[in-house]
Amino acid sequence: MHATQDETEPPSAPSAALRPGLRERKKQRTRDALIRSALELFAERGYEGTTVDEIACAADVSQRTFFRYFAGKEDVALAVQQMVETHFFEAVCERPAAESPLTALRTAVMSSWDTIEEAIASVVPLELHLRTYQMIQTTPQLIAAHLRRTAELEDRLTEVIARREGLPPEDPRPRILVAAFSGVMRETGKRWGLLMEQDMEEFRRQTAAYLDQIGPALAENWRS
Amino acid sequence: MHATQDETEPPSAPSAALRPGLRERKKQRTRDALIRSALELFAERGYEGTTVDEIACAADVSQRTFFRYFAGKEDVALAVQQMVETHFFEAVCERPAAESPLTALRTAVMSSWDTIEEAIASVVPLELHLRTYQMIQTTPQLIAAHLRRTAELEDRLTEVIARREGLPPEDPRPRILVAAFSGVMRETGKRWGLLMEQDMEEFRRQTAAYLDQIGPALAENWRS
DNA sequence: GAGCGTAGTGTCAGTCGCTGACAAGTGACC
DNA sequence: GGTCACTTGTCAGCGACTGACACTACGCTC
């Protein structure tokens, strides 16, 4: 309902602001304002220490309007994270069928990281998103909500991979692979958020190293 | 705070009801009554269609007392499931160190299933628990809460396995294995709950078959 | 450019989950 | 039997969320 930006495109509009219609632009600005206000307040006073009233007030709308844009307080906290995950999912869908499933997943993460930052920055400053990410991993209610969304993403990934490989839906292997992959991503994400590592290169290396362990993890006899 | 049943034991009490003291028994009965009332109401009107007031009223206590026993409405819905998972975790801890990690997990599930039913039945009828399990998997709020608890269980399992194998906490392999295992359990659990399979034997076979796929899932080249 | 329909917004009132504070009842222990 | 600590109920209140209704303003047509 919100944020649908696919319309008939007038060829090369002179003023770049005329594309989506005045009303649509206003809605988009309201939505962005709500996200920005929310994340700033969360960073300042914490998630539970911030009321929806305060968020709405900071974005100059009524509380009622807030709930027309977001289904709940959780929603706005996870809005940017949602963007990131959608972006990753699309990257997976675009991987060539020749790649093995694990390679496809791995390459998709890496390539989605190359391009996601500007998309984030168009809504909120990157540093604010990093603080939000930490908050998500330390606030019980947000951990739960985020895990639920992640589980849904896993379902979709499982389906995509099963289709790629031409497997019937009952085959458990795609699900297992996705679960293992997801476990790695959760773990590395935890480290990234908590250690506040700004060094993206180092983080990529670590993630890659972890992903390399997926194969060996299932070989019995770990004791070297 | 609640349900601590470790106290100095008077040697062989004549009436088996005298062990934990009158007050403790009363608390336990209140707690069980709350769980039973809650699950019955949930089964009847759904989770969101039931208010805490109604649960408290059905158990003949005040709403305030309900919240002294359970941190929230979610808590009472997941109370029995919590028992099951604790039981499983303890079973894992007791597996001999000679078993490979995956074997230990697999054997622990199977053996915990052998003994959990009576523990459940002492609180609520088994059939009611099954309906609750279905409800958990279809109610967004409960899915989220349950996933959070499961994630905590995964953390503890990861730690136990790392210790068993004498691995340092940074080694990602225990986490990956647990994630894959957990993915299988979530999937089979989903089928069990939704298909309402009463046939426990069939369900065990299916779970075992899924677990057998964990190894192959990580071997590349699935296409037979 | 006036007018109309509709989409977006604010206000209001209400429900429900949840909590702190205080007062009253009740098992436990000497 | 009396004191003490633990449980409980009542009350008052906050915050998340929702339905209903009236109002404003965009967008489209004539």
Side-chain angles (χ1 to χ4, degrees), chain A residues 56-214:
Chain A
C57 181
D60 264 312
V61 293
S62 73
Q63 193 216 43
R64 194 65 185 83
T65 293
F66 173 92
F67 284 110
R68 286 197 250 261
Y69 280 88
F70 300 97
K73 210 170 94 170
E74 295 169 359
D75 250 49
V76 69
L78 297 173
V80 179
Q81 192 59 30
Q82 184 84 341
M83 283 177 46
V84 174
E85 277 151 19
T86 302
H87 190 73
F88 162 66
F89 179 71
E90 286 164 0
V92 173
C93 292
E94 285 164 8
R95 298 310 307 167
E99 285 177 344
S100 79
L102 182 53
T103 307
L105 290 171
R106 172 203 209 101
T107 320
V109 209
M110 298 297 172
S111 87
S112 73
W113 281 346
D114 289 333
T115 51
I116 190 61
E117 296 203 345
E118 50 189 283
I120 295 174
S122 72
V123 186
V124 293
L126 277 166
E127 202 265 341
L128 188 55
H129 171 239
L130 206 149
R131 296 188 60 178
T132 305
Y133 191 74
Q134 287 178 266
M135 180 185 74
I136 293 172
Q137 286 178 331
T138 49
T139 308
Q141 196 183 145
L142 293 180
I143 297 175
H146 184 232
L147 282 172
R148 212 203 68 205
R149 286 157 185 259
T150 303
E152 282 165 15
L153 178 63
E154 284 181 42
D155 288 347
R156 275 179 290 146
L157 283 174
T158 302
E159 195 196 336
V160 166
I161 288 186
R163 196 189 335 265
R164 267 173 68 100
E165 303 298 308
L167 299 173
E170 318 86 63
D171 196 309
R173 291 175 298 174
R175 163 129 261 140
I176 293 169
L177 179 65
V178 169
F181 174 81
S182 210
V184 169
M185 296 311 296
R186 196 156 68 237
E187 183 68 16
T188 58
K190 213 186 294 177
R191 289 168 190 270
W192 181 58
L194 294 178
L195 300 179
M196 213 13 160
E197 286 192 48
Q198 292 281 9
D199 188 345
M200 197 63 187
E201 267 317 307
E202 169 56 22
F203 178 58
R204 292 170 87 112
R205 262 194 302 276
Q206 195 177 15
T207 303
Y210 269 51
L211 289 174
D212 284 335
Q213 294 298 309
I214 288 187

Side-chain angles (χ1 to χ4, degrees), chain B residues 23 27 62 64-65 68-69:
Chain B
R23 207 175 230 164
K27 274 202 329 192
S62 71
R64 194 65 184 83
T65 293
R68 290 195 176 98
Y69 281 87

Side-chain angles (χ1 to χ4, degrees), chain A residues 20-55:
Chain A
L22 203 157
R23 209 174 227 165
E24 282 307 314
R25 272 181 295 146
K26 216 171 176 181
K27 273 201 330 189
Q28 192 59 46
R29 262 190 292 126
T30 304
R31 191 181 146 87
D32 288 354
L34 280 169
I35 295 177
R36 194 190 315 266
S37 305
L39 299 196
E40 275 163 6
L41 285 169
F42 290 158
E44 192 180 322
R45 315 180 193 178
Y47 178 74
E48 279 142 353
T50 306
T51 70
V52 172
D53 272 309
E54 291 167 339
I55 298 169

